[in-house]
Amino acid sequence: VNAYAFAGCSNLERVILPESLKEIPDGMFEDCENLKHINLPQELQNIGSVAFSCTGLKEINLPKSLKMIGYGAFSYCNNLVSVIVPDSVNTLYNTFISCGSLQTVVLGEGLKTIGRSTFGYCTRLSEIYIPAGVTKIDQKPYAATIGYEYWGPCEKVRAIYGCRNLQRVVVSPDNKYYSDIDGVLFDKGKNDLLYYPEGRTSVKYDVPEGVDTIASYAFYYVKDLKSIHLPATLKIIGYRALPGSLTAIMSQSMNPPERNYLGIYSLYEGAVSSGVEWYVPLGAGDRYKMAYGIDVIETSLLNVDMVDGDEKELRFYVLPDGRLSVSGVLVDTIIEIYSINGRQIYKGIAGDIPYLGQGLYLVKIGDETCKVII
């Protein structure tokens, strides 16, 4: 059967394939929008590029004999709900892009490469499991040239993006190249943060200590993140790595990440809005201003133990004049502060909290109560 033999047969609903068939050629059923079910021969070895692209398939049973799935074989299958990739397949490339109904994908243990756009815009996918054998999740050095100045490179993950309901990317502990921390994708050594699932609704995230690089576009598609805590070990933030939803960035590093990777354009061109507040360590303000040309707030980060409501964005700082500052609320919000034995120390607006001194305090904002250790 020749390539594209039935392409565009929009009324085709049912196909019976001979058991002797070893290969489905390129584009054989492309744009057969009413083809909702098909039985694949148990000896099938190859599925060609875009072979089932834009069909009405709801599910597909891939035989264990299958060796190759071509470029975009199931792309734009908007009705496809679940698929199991057999162990015999070692490469996926653009395979499930824009499968908007896809909820479950089981990747075979023989998989080696998850190529570009494999899971692009799979908007209902909530979890992806990376098997032990995967050696490459498609990344590409990303460079941006602004005028005559070079702002890159820094790798970006191109295999997973636009998955607005994705909560977790879980990696097999036996994988030698990748790992995850609570569903966030890292390299094996946990030095590079590669991808933060964009379906998460948390308003704050602490980048783990030890991370020295945040890959380009790592947080770019995230919509709900309001504050991010950057560790002292961080050296590089990739191009457009941070989301436009941020209102506060807390950095523990005395030295700002290298300007070659994190310029004003990297921060503000389609990513972080210009109104974001930067909190940096005491004594580091001039370095950040010189590196990025932005205003910053020098502060000492306090330890905060959330008693309840741990999803609310509440961050506490000591300002240079010794006063307590809280982010995540309006300055005229009423706040109450008590000693650990229950004695009220302050009640007033959040913008006028007095100097408290070292100790353990209870801070109440509405129904939210926090223990704050200074």
Side-chain angles (χ1 to χ4, degrees):
V1 181
N2 292 328
Y4 299 92
F6 302 100
C9 293
S10 58
N11 291 323
L12 183 64
E13 297 180 2
R14 184 168 179 260
V15 175
I16 299 174
L17 298 174
E19 287 301 319
S20 59
L21 190 67
K22 303 294 184 183
E23 178 180 358
I24 294 177
D26 294 350
M28 184 172 179
F29 299 106
E30 185 181 19
D31 288 325
C32 294
E33 59 189 44
N34 280 302
L35 182 61
K36 298 179 181 179
H37 180 76
I38 191 169
N39 287 323
L40 299 180
Q42 291 306 302
E43 300 301 321
L44 186 70
Q45 295 183 6
N46 298 328
I47 296 177
S49 296
V50 299
F52 293 97
S53 180
C54 300
T55 60
L57 290 175
K58 295 183 178 180
E59 60 180 353
I60 187 77
N61 294 317
L62 300 176
K64 294 181 180 180
S65 60
L66 193 63
K67 295 180 179 180
M68 188 191 77
I69 300 177
Y71 171 91
F74 300 99
S75 58
Y76 302 95
C77 290
N78 291 322
N79 295 323
L80 190 63
V81 175
S82 65
V83 64
I84 298 175
V85 178
D87 294 344
S88 52
V89 174
N90 61 30
T91 301
L92 297 176
Y93 187 40
N94 214 65
T95 311
F96 303 110
I97 186 172
S98 293
C99 290
S101 297
L102 191 61
Q103 298 180 38
T104 304
V105 174
V106 179
L107 301 179
E109 291 298 326
L111 191 65
K112 302 294 184 185
T113 300
I114 301 176
R116 181 178 180 179
S117 299
T118 295
F119 297 109
Y121 299 108
C122 292
T123 54
R124 296 191 66 183
L125 202 59
S126 61
E127 181 173 308
I128 298 173
Y129 178 77
I130 309 298
V134 171
T135 61
K136 181 180 180 182
I137 300 174
D138 191 31
Q139 294 167 250
K140 180 182 179 181
Y142 188 91
T145 303
I146 309 298
Y148 296 102
E149 194 160 0
Y150 184 63
W151 300 86
C154 188
E155 288 191 338
K156 61 173 289 192
V157 172
R158 302 190 301 170
I160 309 168
Y161 59 85
C163 302
R164 61 172 180 253
N165 284 305
L166 190 63
Q167 302 292 319
R168 297 169 60 82
V169 178
V170 180
V171 181
S172 167
D174 297 325
N175 190 288
K176 297 180 179 180
Y177 297 89
Y178 298 95
S179 62
D180 77 280
I181 299 176
D182 190 28
V184 179
L185 182 64
F186 293 82
D187 70 327
K188 186 62 176 179
K190 297 182 174 64
N191 300 121
D192 299 346
L193 193 160
L194 301 176
Y195 174 79
Y196 182 92
E198 55 215 67
R200 294 194 170 193
T201 57
S202 298
V203 297
K204 61 183 178 181
Y205 180 69
D206 293 343
V207 177
E209 193 70 26
V211 171
D212 58 33
T213 301
I214 299 177
S216 294
Y217 287 82
F219 292 87
Y220 184 73
Y221 295 94
V222 178
K223 301 298 183 184
D224 294 313
L225 202 62
K226 300 300 181 184
S227 68
I228 190 168
H229 180 195
L230 307 179
T233 53
L234 189 66
K235 297 178 181 178
I236 298 171
I237 300 180
Y239 186 74
R240 292 186 177 179
L242 304 179
S245 58
L246 288 180
T247 59
I249 300 173
M250 286 72 71
S251 176
Q252 283 194 331
S253 176
M254 291 295 295
N255 297 308
E258 297 177 24
R259 182 177 171 83
N260 284 342
Y261 297 88
L262 177 65
I264 296 302
Y265 291 98
S266 297
L267 285 173
Y268 299 144
E269 185 186 307
V272 177
S273 66
S274 58
V276 67
E277 292 183 337
W278 271 82
Y279 294 86
V280 302
L282 294 174
D286 289 341
R287 300 179 190 180
Y288 279 81
K289 290 178 183 178
M290 183 176 297
Y292 306 145
I294 56 177
D295 293 327
V296 298
I297 301 171
E298 293 189 22
T299 179
S300 296
L301 182 65
L302 303 183
N303 297 318
V304 180
D305 177 16
M306 300 297 292
V307 176
D308 53 20
D310 59 358
E311 288 301 310
K312 186 170 182 179
E313 179 200 5
L314 293 177
R315 293 272 185 182
F316 296 87
Y317 307 89
V318 172
L319 299 176
D321 60 5
R323 293 183 299 111
L324 186 68
S325 174
V326 56
S327 68
V329 297
L330 299 174
V331 294
D332 59 353
T333 300
I334 298 298
I335 185 171
E336 301 175 48
I337 301 177
Y338 297 85
S339 66
I340 195 62
N341 60 11
R343 180 175 62 87
Q344 188 176 80
I345 297 173
Y346 173 78
K347 182 176 181 180
I349 61 174
D352 290 334
I353 303 174
Y355 172 75
L356 296 176
Q358 294 185 353
L360 177 62
Y361 301 90
L362 296 177
V363 178
K364 184 177 181 182
I365 303 175
D367 295 331
E368 205 81 43
T369 301
C370 313
K371 284 190 295 185
V372 178
I373 305 170
I374 302 178

